[in-house]
Amino acid sequence: MSTFPFGHRRTMRVSMSAGAAVLAVFALVPAVAVFAISFTDIRGLPGIPVNFVGLENYARFFSAAKLGYNLNALQNTLVYAIVSTVVINVLALGIAVLLNTKLRGRTFTRALVFLPTILGVTVIGLIWSLFFNPSAGPAATIWSWFGADSAFFGDPALALGLVIFVQIWAGLGVAVVIYLAGLQSIPEELYEAAALDGADGAKRLRLVTIPLLAPSVTANVLLAIVGSLQSYQLAYVLTGPNNPATQLLSLAIFAQAFGGSTTSGMGQSQGYAATISVIQFFIVGIASLLVMWYLRRREARL
């Protein structure tokens, strides 16, 4: 009897070849095309010739005229990624541990925690825009109890923090589900043995739960980092494309490629947007590899 899951080697080869072809068409080819476009001055307008400009777009990205804007976008992106990743994983782990107990109404609570994940970005943006409406929103009412007012998403000191808060609220559900799946795969006998050895709840969490959840931690951290480094939708919906306080590299790519950017000092340019995309690709790739290398080494030690 064949040991292959498809029954025959030929079936497996055909399936693998089809999967590789789909991956090449929808992932590899567009990635190569973006890299090639970054060396041109394409603007996506009919009748305008496309010229090969070499490294001009890359030189422009690092030029003195654009450096302030791009460094601000990079700084906001790193703050956005680091804070949202840390907070999402800490909160998700705590909520997952709580929901893994025999808590009354835990099924409803699990559904409630996961609910924001199925909402679209526009819906999420509308909900929180109404909540933080500076003239009539609930947040403004609470603010007024302390004799203060705020523009919220229009306040440069608060805008990025509020967008990060919304990102955490929207991304928490997936992380909780992954941690719950990891917790439910841990044998109950290990907790019983640790309790017999005198370990309290905190020690069981530190010595049993966290080490055995290492693969789930790795998956959640990588998903959060990659997702936040590439995210622009919430910032765009909540604060628009031209707010320096919430300017992100991914938002700069969207604004340059499809219009709407005025703060960068350039009009619409798909070539320059592709250049930012390539630079962001290397940032995301390097960050992901470093985090994965560190977490894999930590898994091995645990």
Side-chain angles (χ1 to χ4, degrees):
M1 180 180 295
S2 173
T3 59
F4 289 95
F6 294 99
H8 297 283
R9 189 185 297 267
R10 180 185 300 175
T11 306
M12 186 182 69
R13 287 175 175 172
V14 170
S15 300
M16 292 294 292
S17 299
V22 171
L23 182 64
V25 170
F26 292 101
L28 184 59
V29 172
V32 173
V34 168
F35 184 71
I37 289 172
S38 70
F39 297 102
T40 69
D41 62 354
I42 184 172
R43 294 185 178 273
L45 299 175
I48 297 180
V50 178
N51 301 306
F52 177 79
V53 296
L55 297 176
E56 181 180 321
N57 288 328
Y58 292 90
R60 181 177 297 168
F61 181 88
F62 293 103
S63 67
K66 305 294 184 294
L67 193 59
Y69 173 85
N70 292 326
L71 285 178
N72 177 61
L74 179 60
Q75 177 181 321
N76 290 342
T77 300
L78 293 177
V79 171
Y80 187 89
I82 293 171
V83 174
S84 61
T85 297
V86 172
V87 176
I88 282 177
N89 279 276
V90 172
L91 287 180
L93 180 58
I95 294 172
V97 170
L98 182 63
L99 294 180
N100 196 48
T101 61
K102 296 179 180 179
L103 182 69
R104 187 173 183 179
R106 63 177 180 174
T107 302
F108 172 76
T109 307
R110 289 176 182 177
L112 194 64
V113 170
F114 191 74
L115 179 63
T117 306
I118 64 176
L119 299 177
V121 175
T122 305
V123 175
I124 293 173
L126 178 62
I127 291 172
W128 289 105
S129 294
L130 292 175
F131 183 85
F132 287 107
N133 188 311
S135 59
T141 302
I142 297 172
W143 225 250
S144 66
W145 294 346
F146 301 95
D149 58 6
S150 174
F152 298 111
F153 290 115
D155 185 345
L158 293 177
L160 183 61
L162 291 177
V163 174
I164 292 173
F165 166 77
V166 177
Q167 170 70 21
I168 293 169
W169 180 81
L172 195 62
V174 172
V176 170
V177 169
I178 293 175
Y179 280 133
L180 269 175
L183 286 170
Q184 292 172 359
S185 67
I186 299 175
E188 191 64 31
E189 293 80 5
L190 295 178
Y191 291 109
E192 295 173 358
L196 290 175
D197 289 337
D200 57 13
K203 284 187 176 180
R204 290 198 296 270
L205 177 65
R206 181 169 58 88
L207 299 176
V208 178
T209 303
I210 293 179
L212 293 178
L213 275 181
S216 299
V217 172
T218 301
N220 267 333
V221 170
L222 286 174
L223 286 174
I225 288 177
V226 173
S228 55
L229 285 174
Q230 295 179 331
S231 175
Y232 72 89
Q233 297 95 327
L234 280 177
Y236 182 87
V237 171
L238 293 171
T239 65
N242 299 319
N243 189 338
T246 57
Q247 186 62 61
L248 307 172
L249 279 179
S250 51
L251 183 55
I253 294 170
F254 176 85
Q256 289 293 337
F258 302 104
S261 175
T262 59
T263 56
S264 64
M266 287 188 65
Q268 182 177 341
S269 173
Q270 281 77 27
Y272 186 67
T275 299
I276 304 176
S277 181
V278 171
I279 293 171
Q280 185 189 42
F281 168 79
F282 283 106
I283 293 173
V284 173
I286 292 171
S288 300
L289 289 174
L290 289 175
V291 170
M292 188 164 59
W293 171 77
Y294 172 76
L295 291 176
R296 289 299 186 191
R297 287 191 62 187
R298 186 173 177 81
E299 283 182 35
R301 288 199 302 268
L302 293 174

